Amino acid sequence: MWNVPNLLTLGRFLLIPVYLLVFEAGYTKTAFLVFLVAGCTDVLDGYIARKRKQVTQLGSMLDPLADKLMMIAVILSLVFAGILNWNAALAMFLRDAGMIVGSAVFHFRGKRTVPANGMGKLTTVLFYIAILLVIFQLPYAHVILWLVILLSFLTLIIYIVQFNLLNKRQPKSNMPL
């Protein structure tokens, strides 16, 4: 149950309050580095889980939850600092909250969840880049962020289609916790 990938995911949960404390202290760029470290642990835990065949149902559920909660923390901190507008934050929040609630509901109903695919991973990388641009207030940062938000909704639609196909073909998951 608690293997290296799941421990890295747990570490990502612990980085959320670290990010918030550093950001609140006024160290915006350092807070972004904490956010970036969290993103690197996401890549690392996925790599290790696949390489060592340590993919678990627990990890499949906690990994995206850690990512979404970190993203929500970043979004809200940027909004309250006046760096990000509420419309973009609301769009990002609705998508991420919907994915969290949907995944939890499906998991507890015994439905199989869809693992991250190439589009999801690309969207995550692009969100990190867009957040970087926004934090550093670079030109066209908000335009790029909106393009990534649109891509994230397209990715969500793809996940919904994959989820429906997977659960029509397959019975309840028997992946280890």
Side-chain angles (χ1 to χ4, degrees):
M1 174 145 101
W2 288 108
N3 55 30
V4 172
N6 289 348
L7 290 172
L8 286 169
T9 298
L10 178 62
R12 221 165 34 261
F13 279 106
L14 298 175
L15 285 174
I16 295 169
V18 172
Y19 166 84
L20 290 170
L21 289 170
V22 171
F23 188 89
E24 184 61 29
Y27 300 104
T28 308
K29 293 172 176 88
T30 304
F32 177 76
L33 289 176
V34 173
F35 177 55
L36 193 58
V37 167
C40 290
T41 65
D42 182 29
V43 171
L44 185 60
D45 76 37
Y47 174 78
I48 292 171
R50 286 185 300 279
K51 186 83 169 169
R52 293 184 179 175
K53 299 185 184 343
Q54 294 180 336
V55 175
T56 65
Q57 189 67 32
L58 179 66
S60 295
M61 192 169 127
L62 290 181
D63 181 71
L65 180 62
D67 297 339
K68 301 303 174 217
L69 290 176
M70 175 60 91
M71 190 61 76
I72 289 169
V74 170
I75 292 165
L76 289 176
S77 67
L78 293 175
V79 167
F80 289 122
I83 298 171
L84 185 66
N85 71 46
W86 276 102
N87 292 332
L90 183 62
M92 294 166 69
F93 177 77
L94 287 175
R95 178 195 176 263
D96 286 349
M99 288 186 77
I100 290 168
V101 171
S103 293
V105 167
F106 296 137
H107 172 76
F108 290 115
R109 288 187 176 173
K111 302 286 186 179
R112 295 175 56 95
T113 55
V114 177
N117 63 25
M119 284 292 289
K121 292 175 184 178
L122 174 64
T123 301
T124 300
V125 169
L126 292 175
F127 262 127
Y128 275 83
I129 292 169
I131 296 296
L132 167 76
L133 298 174
V134 168
I135 286 175
F136 287 87
Q137 300 178 353
L138 297 174
Y140 306 107
H142 292 278
V143 171
I144 293 168
L145 178 62
W146 275 106
L147 291 173
V148 175
I149 290 169
L150 291 174
L151 177 64
S152 75
F153 278 97
L154 173 64
T155 303
L156 176 61
I157 292 167
I158 291 169
Y159 273 116
I160 291 169
V161 168
Q162 288 179 333
F163 171 81
N164 284 328
L165 290 173
L166 179 68
N167 282 289
K168 282 182 183 177
R169 290 189 298 234
Q170 304 262 337
K172 182 177 168 178
S173 172
N174 59 2
M175 186 183 305
L177 285 176

